[in-house]
Amino acid sequence: MVPLNYYLVLSAMLFAIGTAGVFVRRNLITILLSIEIMLNAVNLTFVAFGRALGSADGQIIVFFVMTVAAAEAAVGLAIVIGLFRHRESLNPDSWTALKW
Amino acid sequence: MAPETLAFYAFGAVAVVASLLVIAQRNPIYSVLLLIASFGALSGLYVLLDAPFVAVIQIIVYAGAIMVLFLFVVMLLNAPHEETEYDERVHPLLRPGPMRFGALLALVLAGELSWALTRSGDSGRFPAGAVASVRAIGRSLFTDYAFPFEVTSILILVAMVGAVLLARREGRG
């Protein structure tokens, strides 16, 4: 059986990849996808810890995280569509009205 | 090497490589499709962790519903390429200003996480008893977690109304 640490390292790698995507990419859709990568990395941690503790709670939390991710994707993509209608661009640097 | 370890490395490699390609692609459609591949590998990892329920909802909800939503939007907007003022082929660490800072922060995060995990020593093996049955999960969900479950339904409703309202065309209705 693969030890818990391996899953945690894998999850950390995925989370770092997602963070890098949010920081490096300049495309709203890719940024939302990177957020999904990070959510999935956390889900993997939850399931691995739940398995290590022999409890069902980890899997239930994953269920809730997925619900929140679905809501976030729906609202986020609606905002992206609205922004795109406004300025025909997906580059987040196109919107600086609230930038200090 | 045990087949389970082999499967872990295979799924883990697919997940990491697909995720890396997601943030390396210039065309968002390929990013979405690669992310679906990454989610498939994660679903295999959930099977290895004795969590078949999570593995199945990972495929059905994430790959099936959320990613299709993303694909819809990518195709609807029809703006495949990232328009930028810098050369896309330049490595992120060599790009100017805040982007270099961001890439550096991500690298620091990766280093920090691996440092913390290697210092923690051997985490030991998983215990024998795993909660794998959907029956146990469902019972816990509808008794101990009944209130969060109901709150979730309100969240979904709010998200649905919000998405419809935000994506509505201006000046009508």
Side-chain angles (χ1 to χ4, degrees):
Chain A
M1 185 104 195
V2 184
L4 172 64
N5 258 7
Y6 286 34
Y7 286 99
L8 296 184
V9 168
L10 176 65
S11 166
M13 284 164 76
L14 287 176
F15 194 89
I17 291 172
T19 319
V22 170
F23 280 135
V24 167
R25 295 310 301 268
R26 290 276 75 101
N27 182 328
L28 286 172
I29 292 191
T30 318
I31 289 174
L32 282 176
L33 289 176
S34 304
I35 293 174
E36 299 291 331
I37 295 176
M38 287 198 272
L39 285 169
N40 270 279
V42 174
N43 278 353
L44 184 62
T45 318
F46 274 131
V47 175
F49 272 125
R51 175 74 183 80
L53 296 172
S55 110
D57 292 355
Q59 299 180 46
I60 290 167
I61 298 294
V62 167
F63 173 82
F64 289 127
V65 170
M66 279 189 189
T67 325
V68 173
E72 171 254 321
V75 175
L77 288 172
I79 292 174
V80 168
I81 290 177
L83 288 174
F84 188 78
R85 279 213 195 103
H86 209 66
R87 197 134 331 155
E88 289 287 316
S89 163
L90 284 178
N91 190 343
D93 295 335
S94 305
W95 294 277
T96 51
L98 287 180
K99 208 171 185 177
W100 178 60
Chain B
M1 203 185 284
E4 208 180 339
T5 316
L6 213 61
F8 171 80
Y9 280 118
F11 284 134
V14 170
V16 169
V17 170
S19 302
L20 273 176
L21 287 175
V22 166
I23 65 167
Q25 287 293 326
R26 298 188 63 188
N27 190 336
I29 289 189
Y30 295 149
S31 288
V32 174
L33 294 176
L34 281 162
L35 194 56
I36 292 175
S38 167
F39 287 170
L42 275 173
S43 163
L45 288 171
Y46 293 145
V47 172
L48 289 181
L49 281 169
D50 297 318
F53 173 68
V54 178
V56 169
I57 61 171
Q58 172 85 12
I59 293 290
I60 295 176
V61 177
Y62 249 119
I66 300 183
M67 284 303 116
V68 168
L69 189 65
F70 270 95
L71 213 53
F72 253 152
V73 171
V74 171
M75 291 179 172
L76 186 72
L77 295 186
N78 196 21
H81 291 292
E82 200 163 316
E83 81 272 11
T84 42
E85 64 277 17
Y86 58 85
D87 188 357
E88 181 76 34
R89 284 161 298 179
V90 175
H91 193 270
L93 278 176
L94 303 176
R95 281 181 207 154
M99 209 173 283
R100 173 165 45 189
F101 180 64
L104 206 66
L105 275 184
L107 281 181
V108 168
L109 176 68
E112 230 175 86
L113 286 171
S114 48
W115 179 77
L117 285 171
T118 47
R119 272 177 61 91
S120 67
D122 187 23
S123 60
R125 310 280 144 165
F126 288 118
V131 186
S133 78
V134 179
R135 174 197 291 258
I137 294 167
R139 177 160 293 147
S140 186
L141 195 58
F142 286 109
T143 53
D144 299 340
Y145 292 92
F147 181 67
F149 185 78
E150 297 301 332
V151 172
T152 296
S153 62
I154 297 174
L155 174 76
I156 293 278
L157 179 69
V158 170
M160 194 172 75
V161 173
V164 169
L165 201 71
L166 282 168
R168 189 190 51 172
R169 274 197 191 285
E170 302 278 330
R172 251 203 293 155

